[in-house]
Amino acid sequence: MIRLFDLSLKLNGFPIEEAKAELDKIVHFSEEECTSFLEKKKKEIVDFHLNNNSFYRDLLGNKKIENWHDLPILNKQNLQKPLEERLSKGYSKKNIYLNKTSGSSGTPFVFAKDKYSHALTWASNIMRFGWFGIDFNHSYQARFYGIPMDFIGYQKERFKDFLTHRFRFPVFDLSDAVLEKFLKKFRTKKFDYINGYTSSIVLFAKFLEQKNIILKEICPTLKACFVTSEMLFETDKRLLEKQFGIPIISEYGASELDLIAFENPKGEWQINSETLFVEILDENNNPVPHGTEGKIVITSLFNKANPFIRYEIGDIGILDEKSTPQKPILKKLIGRTNDVAILPSGKKSPGLTFYYVTKSIIEDDGNVKEFIIKQTKLDTFEIEYVAEKELISEQIEKIKQAINLYLEPNLNFTFTRKTILKRTNRGKLKQFKSYL
């Protein structure tokens, strides 16, 4: 049988077979071999970027580096400059994987991965989903995600959906009438698993609860549901288990990095120690003991195109006391919640919808640094942003057109430029907040 998913990766220049072979070797290391591998990769990636990346050399400046903890903490603001200024020697837009973060933290930027590093990301995904009997080449996915609304972007995503054997349920409108259409698809299609934004999938489960329907009973091929991008609260997990009748698996990742943690079959949130090095630090950037909360700082061990070394992702977490270098366990993730916007028409849209709205103004020119969106009335939203200069009328018009397209017409938006945005007491910037 044709392995269409693997083939599509190969055709796009991602060496998936080599990546799978390396990942398999890493996961079979002994504890001693794992520790040695980790130290070797940390040194290799730092040395590479010091020798090949002027952006990273400038970040270090004249600082004397004697050990790992002398390395600076890289934050999202550091990365908000044109990509060409951050790429390593030998890399250009022609030989990298290029993408943009969702900006769910309020600090969007363009990033790059070398193609081998990105292949390892996919190998990691394939292995972890495989824990639950899911094979990307053959398993049919019900995908609760956004989709670009422009013609070319829309067709590209639909083609990718075809290659990766998935059916997409766009999450911009989650009103009951739309959810009823979703339900009809589950009655007629043989889905193997569900994957998508937590808040959207939870809304679907609440809809099923109102109708007293168990999803597995109408779609018996379903094996598991994987939720991502937003916090999964315990009450919501119980609701999903009850209404879907299948295991609910929570993942935690960042597009610029990789899967960070993934719930294993034992119910532990196992951190990806194969391609990442994850630290939990206090406010002075010192490591905290296992069991103590701190900011999550991550090093991408393989990405040579764009340095992510001691990168502060913007989340707070706790490592389990039983964690080892080979098998770190994330005991708790604090933050990453997204509200749902309720619009005058009755439409409900998850907070991540606003990524697709703001994406139209987020270019790699470094003007808009941060933004937050507040819903103050059913039809009224306030956008506060930090930028070097005011948004011009053409940009505002562009945003309004995107709002009409992704949400609905006749919504009122005000735009206020700020020098600084108010953060939570943990230093987190929440992109969307409803005051209804």
Side-chain angles (χ1 to χ4, degrees), residues 141 182 193 203 247 277 299-300 333 356 395:
Q141 178 190 143
F182 287 8
Y193 67 112
L203 279 173
F277 173 56
T299 298
S300 180
L333 178 67
Y356 292 88
Q395 289 172 303

Side-chain angles (χ1 to χ4, degrees), residues 419-431:
T419 54
I420 192 167
L421 297 178
K422 186 179 178 183
R423 284 173 152 74
T424 69
N425 56 9
R426 297 189 184 278
K428 181 88 172 172
L429 189 72
K430 192 167 186 182
Q431 186 194 3

Side-chain angles (χ1 to χ4, degrees), residues 131-291:
W131 292 345
F132 298 91
I134 302 303
D135 178 347
F136 287 174
N137 285 290
H138 310 301
S139 300
Y140 194 21
Q141 178 190 143
R143 187 172 184 81
F144 283 69
Y145 267 75
I147 190 167
M149 290 294 203
D150 64 283
F151 180 78
I152 293 174
Y154 183 89
Q155 296 302 329
K156 272 186 180 177
E157 285 302 307
R158 286 298 188 193
F159 183 60
K160 277 161 65 176
D161 288 344
F162 166 73
L163 289 177
T164 50
H165 204 43
R166 62 198 188 199
F167 182 88
R168 188 179 300 244
F169 295 94
V171 297
F172 301 122
D173 182 356
L174 294 168
S175 53
D176 284 359
V178 172
L179 293 175
E180 187 66 55
K181 291 176 183 175
F182 287 8
L183 183 56
K184 284 182 181 175
K185 292 293 182 187
F186 278 94
R187 292 185 189 277
T188 57
K189 292 184 176 288
K190 293 182 178 180
F191 292 115
D192 291 287
Y193 67 112
I194 298 168
N195 188 17
Y197 299 148
T198 307
S199 59
S200 309
I201 293 171
V202 168
L203 279 173
F204 185 50
K206 288 177 179 175
F207 173 76
L208 295 176
E209 185 180 39
Q210 288 169 1
K211 299 180 84 67
N212 199 26
I213 290 172
I214 307 297
L215 199 58
K216 173 79 171 173
E217 292 176 0
I218 65 164
C219 185
T221 50
L222 278 175
K223 295 187 183 77
C225 170
F226 302 86
V227 295
T228 190
S229 293
E230 300 152 321
M231 186 76 78
L232 176 63
F233 295 103
E234 194 55 42
T235 51
D236 288 337
K237 184 172 185 178
R238 287 197 295 270
L239 172 73
L240 292 175
E241 287 170 339
K242 175 173 167 274
Q243 296 307 138
F244 289 177
I246 52 178
I248 308 300
I249 297 98
S250 189
E251 65 171 55
Y252 167 44
S255 54
E256 66 270 34
L257 294 169
D258 206 327
L259 271 177
I260 299 168
F262 196 90
E263 196 174 333
N264 66 26
K266 293 180 180 176
E268 301 164 319
W269 226 0
Q270 187 170 330
I271 286 176
N272 169 5
S273 60
E274 296 86 31
T275 70
L276 303 176
F277 173 56
V278 177
E279 301 174 81
I280 308 289
L281 307 181
D282 66 18
E283 56 190 24
N284 297 314
N285 298 328
N286 297 313
V288 301
H290 292 352

Side-chain angles (χ1 to χ4, degrees), residues 380-395:
T380 305
F381 296 80
E382 297 174 3
I383 295 182
E384 295 178 355
Y385 65 96
V386 175
E388 292 170 8
K389 51 193 181 222
E390 292 270 357
L391 292 175
I392 59 175
S393 57
E394 287 87 348
Q395 289 172 303

